[in-house]
Amino acid sequence: MKEDYVRRKERWAKKMSGKEKPVRPSAGRLPPGQHEASNFPVLDLGVHPEIPLGEWTLKIHGEVENPVTLDWEQFTALPQFNDVSDFHCVTTWSQFDMEFSGVAFFTLAELVRPKPSATHLFFTGYDDYTTNTPLDACMDDDVMVAHSWNGQPLTLEHGGPARMIIPKLYAWKGAKFIREINFRDHDELGFWEQRGYSNSADPFTEDRFA
Ligand SMILES: Nc1nc2c(c(=O)[nH]1)N[C@H]1C(S)=C(S)[C@@H](COP(=O)(O)O)O[C@H]1N2
Ligand SMILES: [Mo]
């Protein structure tokens, strides 16, 4: 586990330094039961909360040494991170080579400093959507709070001003319109997880439903 973590962080450090080109695997990247999409469909609860940037904040708190509430200026002043990843929706579409920019989850974790008691994350969006992951799932080199897609600010329907991107999990684990990240010492099921979706959500094992 520890070695795995060190490798992820090394890969992230290389990406941050611009020395590593994003990996674009070609074979075996379409998970079972998925088909490839190219039009980036919109999937959500039908609520698109419009948050003016001047009123936007991201609260990161819970089992951390240094809880913060970032405004837009503070958030975008953090080291910027660009990455290319694949996006897998449980409704069976996957889209490859998604270029997102934002702030790496590692950067946010270094800022708030998780306590040893932090084991899980609970995310809340401005539409009151919630979802949850183990902390370890987000301590990876491809996880970020994104504000841009393909070089353009995220549109409202895709979760702007900012959203979570967790490429290795089905996309419902990535909260759009992100408002709050809570580090916790226990797991709590989010919106879809309470409604029969898998808690672990691994696309490559077709881990769709609990
Ligand atoms: N805040 C919020 N985040 C959300 C959702 C939502 O309804 N509200 N839907 C989830 C689901 S089910 C999916 S598949 C992805 C879809 O992202 P997209 O609309 O940009 O394709 O967002 C996820 N994040
Ligand atoms: Mo979804």
Side-chain angles (χ1 to χ4, degrees), residues 40-45 89 127 129 158 163 171-172 174 176-177:
F40 200 6
V42 171
L43 275 110
D44 53 41
L45 306 174
C89 174
D127 58 350
Y129 180 82
H158 283 302
R163 73 175 298 166
W172 86 77
K176 309 204 284 192
F177 329 108

Side-chain angles (χ1 to χ4, degrees), residues 26-140:
S26 48
R29 67 196 294 200
L30 188 67
Q34 297 288 111
H35 66 271
E36 198 182 335
S38 56
N39 57 339
F40 200 6
V42 171
L43 275 110
D44 53 41
L45 306 174
V47 181
H48 296 153
E50 238 173 295
I51 314 300
L53 293 184
E55 286 165 34
W56 181 91
T57 59
L58 174 61
K59 183 175 177 183
I60 312 177
H61 64 126
E63 300 290 314
V64 297
E65 303 290 350
N66 179 42
V68 295
T69 299
L70 302 169
D71 64 20
W72 187 253
E73 210 179 321
Q74 293 165 327
F75 172 67
T76 52
L78 291 169
Q80 295 296 295
F81 180 63
N82 309 303
D83 201 20
V84 177
S85 57
D86 296 345
F87 192 99
H88 307 297
C89 174
V90 73
T91 61
T92 76
W93 59 270
S94 291
Q95 189 157 335
F96 295 157
D97 294 328
M98 304 288 265
E99 288 190 42
F100 289 103
S101 315
V103 177
F105 194 82
F106 274 133
T107 298
L108 297 173
E110 281 175 0
L111 179 67
V112 299
R113 301 196 307 275
K115 292 182 182 170
S117 53
T119 55
H120 290 83
L121 295 164
F122 192 78
F123 304 90
T124 309
Y126 277 95
D127 58 350
D128 292 327
Y129 180 82
T130 55
T131 186
N132 58 296
T133 70
L135 174 57
D136 185 62
C138 288
M139 299 299 268
D140 206 343

